[in-house]
Amino acid sequence: LTLKTTAEMEQQMLDRVDALMGQSWKAVREKSVDRVLEREKYLSEEQRAAVRHATLGKGRLMVVEGYPGTGKSQFCRAVAECYQRDGYRVVAVAPTGKAARGLEELTKIKAWTAEGLMRTEERSGWKEVAHHARQLGRAVLGKPTYSLKSAPLHDRTVVLVDEAGMIGVRQMDRLLNVAQSKGCKVILI
C-alpha cells in the first residue's frame, strides 16, 4: 500500500532523474583521467572503467554500482582527483554522519550528510541572520562561537553520493532538485 503523496513524490524524483540524465554536462579532459589512472595503479580494470564512465560521460547524472568491499572509496578518490585537476569542485554526500566522516577520511573530499548539504543549500537569508545573532550573543557571553558551514554548489561542482540507495526518496528528490537548479553534476554510487 503506497500513499498517493508518496507515489507522487517518487514520480517527481524519477522525472528529475530523467531530466538530469538527458542533460549534457562538461566532461573532464581525457588527459587528466589518464594521468590519474596512471598514478593510481591499485585500481582494478573494472574500477578504471567506472572512473572513465563517471568522468568522461557527458550526462549530468551518472550511476555507478558496486558491491560492498569492491573499492568504491578508491573510485571516489580517483574521480574527485580527475575533476579537481580540471578545476571542478567536488563534494561527497552520504546518508549518515558516520558514513560521511568515513568517506571524508578515506577520500580526502569534504563530505556532508544529505540532510546537512540540503540545509546549507536551502538556507534563507533570515536563517543566516539568526545564526550570526546567536554567535554574537555567544561572543558577548564569552562562549565559543561557530562558523556557518557552507557548501555552495554551482555549475562547476560534482556531487558524489555514496550509498545512494540508502537515501530516502524525499531527501534524494531535494538533492537532485538543488543539483538541477545549481547546474551540478551528480554521481550516484
Side-chain angles (χ1 to χ4, degrees), residues 55-72:
T55 56
L56 300 175
K58 297 196 186 313
R60 283 195 48 209
L61 178 71
M62 307 297 282
V63 179
V64 176
E65 288 184 70
Y67 292 108
T70 58
K72 292 184 298 294

Side-chain angles (χ1 to χ4, degrees), residues 27-180:
V28 298
R29 293 174 297 149
E30 193 163 357
K31 186 197 273 186
S32 297
V33 177
D34 290 341
R35 283 186 180 151
V36 169
L37 292 179
E38 184 178 300
R39 226 185 46 254
E40 305 294 348
K41 300 200 182 301
Y42 59 85
L43 293 173
S44 70
E45 284 307 313
E46 192 172 54
Q47 288 171 312
R48 291 171 182 281
V51 168
R52 288 189 176 285
H53 168 72
T55 56
L56 300 175
K58 297 196 186 313
R60 283 195 48 209
L61 178 71
M62 307 297 282
V63 179
V64 176
E65 288 184 70
Y67 292 108
T70 58
K72 292 184 298 294
S73 296
Q74 289 89 355
F75 159 81
C76 287
R77 188 172 48 230
V79 167
E81 189 175 339
C82 291
Y83 278 105
Q84 290 166 338
R85 278 181 165 273
D86 277 8
Y88 294 94
R89 182 168 189 262
V90 180
V91 296
V93 174
T96 66
K98 183 177 181 180
R101 285 187 298 278
L103 182 63
E104 188 169 319
E105 186 177 304
L106 288 170
T107 63
K108 309 300 183 227
I109 306 165
K110 176 62 180 156
W112 300 78
T113 63
E115 185 61 29
L117 183 63
M118 292 305 88
R119 281 190 187 154
T120 65
E121 287 301 316
E122 295 171 342
R123 184 173 32 227
S124 70
W126 286 111
K127 288 184 181 177
E128 289 182 30
V129 170
H131 168 81
H132 292 304
R134 275 192 305 276
Q135 299 315 306
L136 185 59
R138 292 180 67 82
V140 167
L141 295 172
K143 294 182 178 181
T145 59
Y146 304 96
S147 64
L148 189 60
K149 291 184 178 178
S150 180
L153 302 178
H154 49 75
D155 67 345
R156 290 191 56 82
T157 304
V158 177
V159 182
L160 296 173
V161 184
D162 194 26
E163 299 180 31
M166 300 299 293
I167 296 176
V169 172
R170 182 171 290 143
Q171 276 187 327
M172 184 60 77
D173 184 54
R174 286 172 58 206
L175 176 65
L176 295 176
N177 181 41
V178 167
Q180 187 175 30

